[in-house]
Amino acid sequence: MQQDIRRILIDRHAIQARVHDLARQIALDYGPREFLLMPLLTGSIIFVADLVRQLPVRMKIDVLAVSSYRGATAHGPRVLYPTAFDVAGKHVLVIDDILDSGTTLHTVTGLLRAQNAASVKACVLLKKNLPTPAAFAADYVGFEIPNDFVVGYGLDFNGYYRNLPDIAVLHQHVLERNP
Ligand code: 5GP
Ligand code: MG
């Protein structure tokens, strides 16, 4: 696995320091308001596991599974799980690994608002710097990164590399290799 890495973009220590800051900001902003954390599977699992352990406040966690169908069909992303929401009146904080085009978070937060959540915010570990603005602005962003494909700390390539402790860029020949 290590030999597939071209370079480390953000190392584990920088990630931990930033996760700590994000948690402090979130705790300050919500104050005594109880919130419901909604991590999007699967990419945000490592991030959310670290984040919640830095958030000593009353909360519930409900995961969402979203299909992305990236480029494959005319449909946007769809929520596959749960099939019914219980967010009415709740302060919902959606967690994702990375904000790219923004369509995933745009769709998910729209759905949650339509289900009468009291408030909907979004927190992402990474945001890509794209030539055109994303369809969505997150309330909390860990790091802005160049428009490269990244893996590690929950992010995958063909399902692999999620267990890398750092955020990394793979060698071009690895990205071009057929699964
Ligand atoms: P968006 O809907 O914002 O275009 O896409 C967000 C989703 O695309 C993320 O949740 C993630 O699954 C995937 N994605 C976007 N960029 C990257 C990347 O650089 N690396 C990985 N592993 N996934 C990415
Ligand atoms: Mg994802």
Side-chain angles (χ1 to χ4, degrees), residues 41 43 96-97:
L41 295 179
D96 205 3
D97 49 0

Side-chain angles (χ1 to χ4, degrees), residues 10-24 46-54 125 142-143 153 164-167:
I10 309 168
D11 76 21
R12 62 200 77 179
H13 307 292
I15 296 172
Q16 285 319 309
R18 189 69 186 118
V19 169
H20 183 82
D21 290 348
L22 285 172
R24 201 178 44 194
I46 314 273
F47 176 38
V48 80
D50 282 345
L51 186 71
V52 293
R53 285 177 294 172
Q54 302 277 344
L125 179 67
F143 300 92
Y153 199 71
L164 282 175
D166 311 298
I167 306 277

Side-chain angles (χ1 to χ4, degrees), residues 76-89:
R78 281 196 205 143
V79 175
L80 303 176
Y81 174 89
T83 46
F85 291 101
D86 183 20
V87 297

Side-chain angles (χ1 to χ4, degrees), residues 13 31 46 74 95 128 138 170:
H13 307 292
I46 314 273
I95 310 286
K128 276 196 187 173
L170 296 172

Side-chain angles (χ1 to χ4, degrees), residues 43 46 125-126 150-156 160-168:
I46 314 273
L125 179 67
L126 307 173
V150 294
V151 297
Y153 199 71
L155 292 111
D156 74 305
Y160 293 100
Y161 306 102
R162 293 193 197 275
N163 54 320
L164 282 175
D166 311 298
I167 306 277

